[in-house]
Structure formats: structure tokens, C-alpha cells
Amino acid sequence: MEEVINKLKDIIADSKHLVAFTGAGLSAESGIPTYRGAGGLWTTYDPMKYANIHFFLEDPTYYWSFFRDVRYPIIKKAKPNPAHYALVELEKQGKLSQVITQNIDGLHQIAGQSNVIELHGNTRQIVCMECKWLFSMETVYKRLEQEFPPNCPRCKGLLKPDTVFFGESLPQKALNEAMHAAQNCDLFLVVGSSLVVSPAAQLPRIAKENGASLVIVNIDITPLDGIAELVIHEQASQVLSVIIQRDESQGWAL
Ligand code: NAD
């Protein structure tokens, strides 16, 4: 472990434009289950019923009971973990220019990260599919007692979490910004992603094709391990908290 950590420190020290790309594994240590892998949500809940736009439009009760019984209590309780704070520290130290996340939990921003691109939206916001008004998840959670599934209090339109369901496109602006960041970085650091959900999972490949080094920190193997300069199969918080520890004798963090 020490050897790979030292290698990662060297790679980060040499980098001028570091971009981090995060997935559900980063928030697993905050108590939010991943989708895939051991204990993943999709091992219990069928994504085609709970996160598919066509099914949702036919019968939104599946999603809203999942929100009421599973999603809301978990997200409400979750707090950023050392891996989120390590990325904030890298940003403060001027090393990290951009975080691109597939996570919908908002924990990067709660930890204090300023440059975050959310590719799959944010589940803390609920949007009216008709008038596009936004509500907090707390407001809608309370509303569920009176109305299930909930409708927009303004126009009676259908409410949906402000996230990207299967069958929906990614927000174009976020995708463009993420592509730009991937094309212009010199180090692309993947943390806690299975790298199987496209188009998000294409970004490491794009970074690599444009000359960046690719580093992957993930417990399980990923389809892109073979093209990475460095792969660390360890917990995100363990790796990232060591990375940001300052060594006064050597200057920046290393
Ligand atoms: P994923 O569930 O497909 O993969 C997560 C990966 O993280 C797995 O390969 C697992 O081995 C790894 N992992 C688990 N714990 C880890 C840890 N402590 N340290 C390092 N790695 C760990 O998640 P993904 O790749 O982000 O898939 C994308 C989809 O999952 C997106 O659509 C995203 O919106 C959604 N998602 C988000 C959240 C969240 O916001 N927290 C939670 C679940 C799923």
C-alpha cells in the first residue's frame, strides 16, 4: 500500500490540472449504498422499476415509496466522509481544479467543494415535470402524508427527483463542461466508480486519449483498469486521507 500511495503522491505532485471523477463508492463510507457491488441497491431494487423514466411515468408510486422508505432517510442522515474532505483540501491547496461527480447526494458541496459538475443531478431537489419549479426533498417528504404520489402544489404537475433516470439524457451543459474538463486535464483521478454507466464512464477514456494520466481508486476492478497508469483497489477514504497529509520537509502535501 505504501508504495502505491507514494506513487500516487508523485503523480499528483507532477500534475498541473487535476480533475477528480467520483462515483457512488466515494459516498459508501457516508452510509449511502452503491448501486452495484456488494450490498448495492440494485441487488434489492429493480432499476427498471425504481429509476426508469418510462416506468415512472406509468406508475410513479414505486419511486415515491422508495423515496419515502429508503432514499430520503439515508440521504437526510448522510454526512461527508474523509474522502470528500480530502478532495476539498486538494482544491484549497490549488491542486484540484474540478470535481465531476455521478453522485446525486450533494455531499461534495456540503463538504465545501466549490467546483462540482453533477452529471446525474441532485436527489435533494425535486422538480415539477410541468412548470419546472424546484422543491426541497424535505418539503416533498412532508407532503407525502397528504398526497401520494405527490403533485406540484403550484400547477398539479407530476413531481420527480431532479436526477437523471434510465431513459433520460444527461444535462447537456454538465456533460459539455465535463468533456471540456476531461479533454484539458493532465491527471484524471477516478474515485469509487464501477465505470460501467455511460456516457459518464467514457470520460476517463477521453481524458486518456487527450494525453492525461489516468488513476483509478476503487475497491473492485473496473473495465478501464487496463489503461490506467495506476490502479489502487482500496477504500477511497483510506487512500485520499493519506494523500493530503502534509509533509513539511517536502512542501506541498507530499
Ligand atoms: P456503482 O454503484 O456502479 O459503483 C460503485 C463502485 O464503488 C463499485 O465498483 C465498488 O467496488 C466501489 N466502492 C464501494 N465502496 C467503496 C469505497 N469505500 N471506496 C472505493 N470504492 C468503493 O456506482 P457509480 O459508478 O457511481 O455508478 C454510477 C451510478 O450510480 C450513477 O448513476 C449515480 O447517480 C448512481 N449512484 C449514486 C449514489 C450517490 O449519490 N451516493 C449512490 C448510488 C448510486
Side-chain angles (χ1 to χ4, degrees):
M1 172 85 161
E2 201 183 326
E3 199 181 316
V4 282
I5 293 286
N6 286 336
K7 192 164 175 201
L8 178 53
K9 285 183 175 185
D10 288 345
I11 293 174
I12 292 179
D14 288 345
S15 157
K16 299 270 181 290
H17 299 285
L18 164 61
V19 167
F21 177 76
T22 65
L26 188 91
S27 293
E29 292 167 67
S30 295
I32 303 177
T34 59
Y35 281 159
R36 297 164 194 84
L41 277 179
W42 295 156
T43 57
T44 311
Y45 297 92
D46 178 355
M48 290 306 121
K49 285 195 175 139
Y50 293 91
N52 178 290
I53 190 63
H54 307 295
F55 191 89
F56 177 79
L57 293 174
E58 268 176 36
D59 186 356
T61 60
Y62 275 82
Y63 176 78
W64 285 112
S65 22
F66 171 73
F67 171 86
R68 182 191 56 206
D69 303 336
V70 182
R71 174 69 86 207
Y72 179 84
I74 290 175
I75 297 287
K76 185 78 185 148
K77 207 167 71 177
K79 297 200 166 36
N81 68 55
H84 293 100
Y85 289 116
L87 293 178
V88 173
E89 185 58 29
L90 282 172
E91 184 182 274
K92 281 189 191 152
Q93 292 174 12
K95 290 305 293 183
L96 176 63
S97 53
Q98 186 72 64
V99 171
I100 305 169
T101 190
Q102 299 167 95
N103 292 347
I104 54 175
D105 55 37
L107 289 181
H108 284 300
Q109 295 91 324
I110 292 172
Q113 198 88 48
S114 39
N115 289 337
V116 183
I117 298 170
E118 290 180 318
L119 286 176
H120 295 161
N122 192 317
T123 201
R124 291 173 191 269
Q125 290 190 154
I126 311 294
V127 63
C128 170
M129 294 187 79
E130 298 300 323
C131 71
K132 308 299 174 201
W133 198 262
L134 290 171
F135 302 89
S136 72
M137 64 170 187
E138 287 83 3
T139 303
V140 175
Y141 180 77
K142 284 185 199 133
R143 201 172 163 72
L144 290 178
E145 284 173 16
Q146 297 121 45
E147 189 178 36
F148 186 93
N151 287 318
C152 175
R154 298 175 82 235
C155 75
K156 300 290 166 215
L158 183 60
L159 294 181
K160 174 187 172 293
D162 197 13
T163 57
V164 178
F165 276 18
F166 289 107
E168 289 187 301
S169 304
L170 268 62
Q172 197 56 51
K173 182 170 176 286
L175 189 56
N176 288 346
E177 287 173 359
M179 297 272 278
H180 185 264
Q183 282 163 349
N184 291 288
C185 67
D186 62 5
L187 173 57
F188 198 84
L189 173 65
V190 174
V191 190
S193 176
S194 60
L195 296 180
V196 296
V197 180
S198 283
Q202 296 305 317
L203 291 167
R205 207 180 276 282
I206 290 168
K208 180 89 186 156
E209 283 165 5
N210 282 274
S213 300
L214 175 62
V215 172
I216 299 175
V217 179
N218 198 60
I219 288 182
D220 292 315
I221 58 167
T222 82
L224 298 190
D225 284 5
I227 62 162
E229 269 67 31
L230 182 65
V231 178
I232 308 180
H233 289 147
E234 298 284 349
Q235 288 201 329
S237 66
Q238 279 185 12
V239 175
L240 294 190
S241 14
V242 179
I243 290 300
I244 49 110
Q245 280 166 10
R246 283 175 185 277
D247 178 345
E248 297 302 335
S249 64
Q250 293 179 53
W252 177 83
L254 304 170

